[in-house]
Amino acid sequence: MSQIDLQWFAAEEEGKTEEPSEYKLRKARDEEGRVPKSQELNSTLIYLFQIFLLTFLGSWMLRSFKNCFVYFYSNIFNIELTNYEAAYVFARYFVRMVLPFGILGMVMGIVSNLVQNKGFLYAPKLIMPKFDKLVPHFGQYLKRTMFSLEGGFNIVKSMLKVIVIAFVNFLVIRGDLERLLSLSLTGSLELAMGHVARMALKMLLISAVFLLAIGIVDYLVQKRQFMENMKMTKQEVKEEFKEQEGDPEVKSRLENAQREMLAHNMPKAVREADVLITNPTHFAVALEWKRNVDDAPKVTAKGEDLTALNMRRIAKEADVPIVENRPLARGLYTETKIGDIIPEAYIKAIATVYAHIGYINKQK
């Protein structure tokens, strides 16, 4: 008797305790085409909207079918009607009745995928041939389809769909059985066909509503399973951070976020500044030099007009030295951003300012 590998029942990837980063989710979507998606929801939406279309076009389709039947029945003995003409007439009636459903199915398939994919998804990697897929991996297949949460859910889902459809059909037929039998006694074929059509439509519509509920649950389960599979280990988080740290785009976003944070903390930055350089009223730039961290002073806050006046007020209240230097204030305001080290071109001027501040402090 062969033994079953107990690893089939273990978690697919151990140690993945961290939630997936936005970078990993974006990479999985854009490069690999991996997104949480439910095929059940896609097919159910197509099925439901085609039932709605059938409701609106049912009478027209019945008339078209009747006209087609009458045409061929009336020409059954017409020897002048060629096979080509008969095939053309049949194709015309058939296409007219089927084409709206085909178009609607295609449109709803695209729309439902766009909604679940959150827009268009183009991933060339999905269409690249994978020759390793030609070799069957029965262990992995059994693990995925039978000995996993996903496999168990799919089995329950399939059984539930069969039970729901059978139960709905049973209830509808039992409720209309007496009426259906009475119509069979009247001998009116048209009335009987109309009633059967209404019964079938009712069964389709009720089944579609139940299947839609199953499809929504399936989407939620697929999304949860997708997020579980995308989880990262602590080591992966560290490696991804190191990788992104060198990315110019990511670095720019981090710097912008840092500047925004510093801008929101302007009052605190001014109070903790070494000096405030002003224009004297149009521009103001606060500098701070942490000698054990930075090689030169750093711009911690800056502003113009009303903001500059507010910075002067805060600096006076906090007893921060204010140095009026028009070209220096304008140059630093124009050429630097919050969080920047002062440019080399201004080192000599700033050194003079700091020397002046040191002299003032010694005089106090």
Side-chain angles (χ1 to χ4, degrees), residues 168-183:
V168 167
N169 292 346
F170 170 75
L171 291 180
V172 172
I173 293 174
R174 189 183 68 173
D176 288 351
L177 185 59
E178 185 176 347
R179 171 67 176 164
L180 188 62
L181 292 175
S182 64
L183 285 174

Side-chain angles (χ1 to χ4, degrees), residues 259 284-287 297-303 328-346 350:
R259 292 189 187 101
V285 179
L287 300 180
K298 180 186 294 185
V299 177
T300 57
K302 67 176 187 175
L328 183 58
R330 179 182 289 273
L332 289 175
Y333 183 86
T334 305
E335 298 181 25
T336 63
K337 297 177 182 178
I338 297 175
D340 285 356
I341 299 293
I342 59 170
E344 291 186 8
Y346 296 98
I350 296 298

Side-chain angles (χ1 to χ4, degrees), residues 8-9 12 14 23 52 67 74 89 107-108 116 142 161 173 195 205 221 231 239-241 272 281 301 314 339 350:
W8 288 1
F9 299 93
E12 288 189 8
E14 299 295 339
Y23 174 77
F52 289 148
N67 293 337
S74 59
V89 171
V107 170
M108 285 309 303
Q116 293 194 67
L142 290 174
K161 287 195 295 184
I173 293 174
H195 186 71
L205 189 57
V221 171
K231 279 188 174 181
E239 290 176 357
E240 183 183 285
F241 180 77
E272 296 177 354
T281 57
I314 296 170
I350 296 298

Side-chain angles (χ1 to χ4, degrees), residues 249-290:
E249 184 180 349
V250 174
K251 200 171 184 180
S252 175
R253 286 204 301 267
L254 291 174
E255 290 175 354
N256 290 335
Q258 184 181 18
R259 292 189 187 101
E260 288 178 8
M261 182 180 68
L262 291 173
H264 288 307
N265 295 331
M266 184 270 288
K268 181 181 178 183
V270 173
R271 292 189 190 98
E272 296 177 354
D274 299 326
V275 62
L276 184 70
I277 301 175
T278 64
N279 195 27
T281 57
H282 293 295
F283 300 102
V285 179
L287 300 180
E288 183 182 10
W289 187 6
K290 295 181 179 179

Side-chain angles (χ1 to χ4, degrees), residues 113-129:
N113 276 287
L114 285 176
V115 171
Q116 293 194 67
N117 296 343
K118 297 180 181 179
F120 286 97
L121 180 61
Y122 175 70
K125 190 174 181 179
L126 290 178
I127 59 176
M128 295 296 292

Side-chain angles (χ1 to χ4, degrees), residues 285-318:
V285 179
L287 300 180
E288 183 182 10
W289 187 6
K290 295 181 179 179
R291 290 168 174 77
N292 58 337
V293 177
D294 302 316
D295 296 330
K298 180 186 294 185
V299 177
T300 57
K302 67 176 187 175
E304 61 178 323
D305 298 332
L306 292 176
T307 304
L309 290 174
N310 192 30
M311 291 172 67
R312 285 175 60 89
R313 178 185 59 79
I314 296 170
K316 285 181 180 180
E317 293 174 355

Side-chain angles (χ1 to χ4, degrees), residues 28 42 70 104 109 111 128 187 234 252 284 288 293:
N42 281 359
V70 169
L104 180 64
V111 170
M128 295 296 292
K234 294 184 184 297
S252 175
E288 183 182 10
V293 177

Side-chain angles (χ1 to χ4, degrees), residues 64-280:
S64 297
F65 178 77
K66 183 178 178 180
N67 293 337
C68 180
F69 180 80
V70 169
Y71 175 82
F72 282 101
Y73 187 79
S74 59
N75 287 279
I76 195 170
F77 295 112
N78 185 2
I79 60 175
E80 296 181 0
L81 183 66
T82 63
N83 292 335
Y84 173 78
E85 291 173 335
Y88 171 75
V89 171
F90 175 78
R92 187 179 63 184
Y93 278 109
F94 180 78
V95 170
R96 284 175 57 191
M97 288 188 288
V98 173
L99 188 61
F101 294 92
I103 294 175
L104 180 64
M106 182 175 64
V107 170
M108 285 309 303
I110 294 174
V111 170
S112 60
N113 276 287
L114 285 176
V115 171
Q116 293 194 67
N117 296 343
K118 297 180 181 179
F120 286 97
L121 180 61
Y122 175 70
K125 190 174 181 179
L126 290 178
I127 59 176
M128 295 296 292
K130 295 181 179 180
F131 297 103
D132 59 324
K133 298 292 184 180
L134 298 176
V135 181
H137 300 281
F138 295 109
Q140 294 180 7
Y141 175 78
L142 290 174
K143 176 184 174 182
R144 190 181 73 252
T145 57
M146 297 182 65
F147 304 108
S148 67
L149 178 63
E150 181 183 0
F153 176 74
N154 288 333
I155 293 173
V156 172
K157 181 176 60 179
S158 300
M159 294 176 61
L160 185 60
K161 287 195 295 184
V162 173
I163 293 171
V164 165
I165 294 174
F167 185 65
V168 167
N169 292 346
F170 170 75
L171 291 180
V172 172
I173 293 174
R174 189 183 68 173
D176 288 351
L177 185 59
E178 185 176 347
R179 171 67 176 164
L180 188 62
L181 292 175
S182 64
L183 285 174
S184 65
L185 297 176
T186 61
S188 175
L189 179 61
E190 188 172 353
L191 287 176
M193 289 182 63
H195 186 71
V196 170
R198 285 189 292 273
M199 286 175 57
L201 188 60
K202 186 190 298 185
M203 288 187 288
L204 291 173
L205 189 57
I206 297 174
S207 299
V209 172
F210 278 100
L211 292 177
L212 180 61
I214 295 174
I216 294 173
V217 173
D218 181 60
Y219 173 76
L220 296 175
V221 171
Q222 296 294 339
K223 185 175 181 179
R224 181 181 179 278
Q225 184 68 24
F226 175 79
M227 296 301 290
E228 287 292 323
N229 291 336
M230 293 297 292
K231 279 188 174 181
M232 309 168 66
T233 63
K234 294 184 184 297
Q235 183 62 30
E236 286 176 335
V237 173
K238 292 178 182 178
E239 290 176 357
E240 183 183 285
F241 180 77
K242 290 179 181 178
E243 179 184 345
Q244 291 188 72
E245 208 173 22
D247 188 340
E249 184 180 349
V250 174
K251 200 171 184 180
S252 175
R253 286 204 301 267
L254 291 174
E255 290 175 354
N256 290 335
Q258 184 181 18
R259 292 189 187 101
E260 288 178 8
M261 182 180 68
L262 291 173
H264 288 307
N265 295 331
M266 184 270 288
K268 181 181 178 183
V270 173
R271 292 189 190 98
E272 296 177 354
D274 299 326
V275 62
L276 184 70
I277 301 175
T278 64
N279 195 27

